[in-house]
Amino acid sequence: MRIVLGVTGGIAAYKAALLLRLFTEAGHDVTVVPTASALEFVGAPTWEALSGKPVQTGVFENVAQVPHVRLGQNADLVVVAPATADVLAKAAAGMANDLLTTTLLTARCPVVMAPAMHTEMWLHPATQANVATLRSRGATIVEPASGRLTGADTGAGRLPDPDVIRDAALAAAASGERRGGATAGGLGETTGREEDAVTPSGALAGRTVLVTAGGTREAIDPVRYLGNRSSGKMGFAIAAAAADRGADVTFVTTMQPPADLAQRVRVVSVESALQMRDAVLAATPDVLVMAAAVADFRPDHVADAKIKKIHGDDSAPVITLVRNPDILAEAVRQRDAELQPTAPSTNVSSRVIVGFAAETGDADGDVLHHARAKLARKGCDVLVANEVGDGVTFGQDSSTAHLLRRGSDDVVTVGPAPKSHIAAALLDLVADLVPSQ
């Protein structure tokens, strides 16, 4: 695969060298296009040694080969990592004042951008608007990680690890091939053929979408609770992707959402399964995505005061558990009681409901075996089966998910890939199920 790797002027440029090596060691043909500022951080000899090709930044070098047009036209994939706030703004505005920005304008292939900058710059409304614009044109934006930044600063804006960017890039390239080839995802010209177009950003425009996220906390006493390992990241990604596509999003969550997401959706904060149940069943959205990790059990009694450890007594309190309500199953029953299916023969309902299953597989069957059984049992329209385990899925930025649809034996497997890409694939499927207005 012919990859153009754009590198912009940020301290994280050194990570792009590691990304370049991942691509070249996998056999890809990589042309590095740094900006002039990027060369202040990592020099041209490094890029040339790792790629085996000369590098240039301007449009007046090798003019006879017309590189400012040819690079984008001939690429199978364009990746920009790190993508500074400056290059995001230029790309969103369609500016073309160096080789990288002209390449972005002429690219007819999937484009993946991995922003990296200080938190204040990332959360600035201008940057968020530019990101939304780029996504609306089909670009894949790899959400920055949170962590140590330049100096003593920490927060959102850290460039994701190279393997996360690689996975997102290869997934975008594969998605582009499935959707009709080079035009899918590009920021430049398209063929105009309807079958080549990506799902538009407004595919869910005018629709109401409710997304749940995070693990519920079931109180034992005022201090302690029963919980699980869910980080809420999958729900964050789905809510953001739905908002990108023009939906009116209600986000029912046990976690604190990122500041940029909280500005774009209606946040309903809950803690327990019972609180989440009340919030979900009180709503009647066009699409319900139950991404939360809802506890199956809760203590049958919550102590009014902290349960004390009695010194000299080795005994421990006995906590009796009771079942929590099955929110997903109740939502399906409520939907079926209130709304008549608009097209029963095609398994399309007036309200699309998506469930999640965190599975490990066991002696009785693998992940897909248990997922199919849960889909049949719950009656939802789509089930997302996540492979989970120690250090897998929970708390991670990437995952592997299997998308199952009611009434179909087909399974769409996405990953390993960033959760933002899984969210996009899920909403592609959901958009096909929502009846036309």
Side-chain angles (χ1 to χ4, degrees), residues 17-169:
L18 303 176
L19 177 61
L20 170 58
R21 173 154 284 177
L22 290 177
F23 283 141
T24 56
E25 289 182 346
H28 300 295
D29 179 357
V30 185
T31 300
V32 181
V33 181
T35 63
S37 296
L39 295 180
E40 297 291 329
F41 292 91
V42 180
T46 298
W47 304 120
E48 293 176 348
L50 292 177
S51 69
K53 294 182 177 183
V55 301
Q56 61 187 82
T57 63
V59 297
F60 296 108
E61 302 168 58
N62 298 321
V63 173
Q65 299 179 18
V66 200
H68 71 289
V69 173
R70 294 287 179 258
L71 280 174
Q73 287 180 335
N74 295 333
D76 299 310
L77 174 68
V78 175
V79 181
V80 183
T84 58
D86 180 65
V87 81
L88 292 174
K90 288 177 179 177
M95 296 177 65
N97 61 352
D98 61 10
L99 188 56
L100 177 57
T101 50
T102 55
T103 297
L104 289 171
L105 272 185
T106 57
R108 303 175 67 240
C109 59
V111 172
V112 177
M113 307 184 83
M117 62 200 73
H118 271 72
T119 304
E120 295 81 0
M121 299 173 70
W122 170 245
L123 296 181
H124 194 283
T127 302
Q128 291 302 306
N130 291 332
V131 167
T133 296
L134 293 169
R135 280 176 167 151
S136 75
R137 296 173 184 162
T140 296
I141 306 296
V142 184
E143 291 283 329
S146 294
R148 183 71 176 268
L149 304 173
T150 305
D153 292 345
T154 60
R158 180 183 176 89
L159 187 71
D161 289 338
D163 58 338
V164 172
I165 302 172
R166 174 203 59 194
D167 291 346

Side-chain angles (χ1 to χ4, degrees), residues 14 17 28 67 70 73-74 89 100 119 143 149 170 192 211 215 256 262-264 309 315 317 342 366 389 392 408:
Y14 76 92
H28 300 295
R70 294 287 179 258
Q73 287 180 335
N74 295 333
L100 177 57
T119 304
E143 291 283 329
L149 304 173
L170 297 181
V211 181
Q256 179 66 40
Q263 295 172 1
R264 304 168 60 210
K309 178 175 68 176
S315 64
T342 59
D366 61 11
V392 179
S408 173

Side-chain angles (χ1 to χ4, degrees), residues 309-317:
K309 178 175 68 176
I310 302 174
H311 294 288
D313 185 349
D314 292 334
S315 64

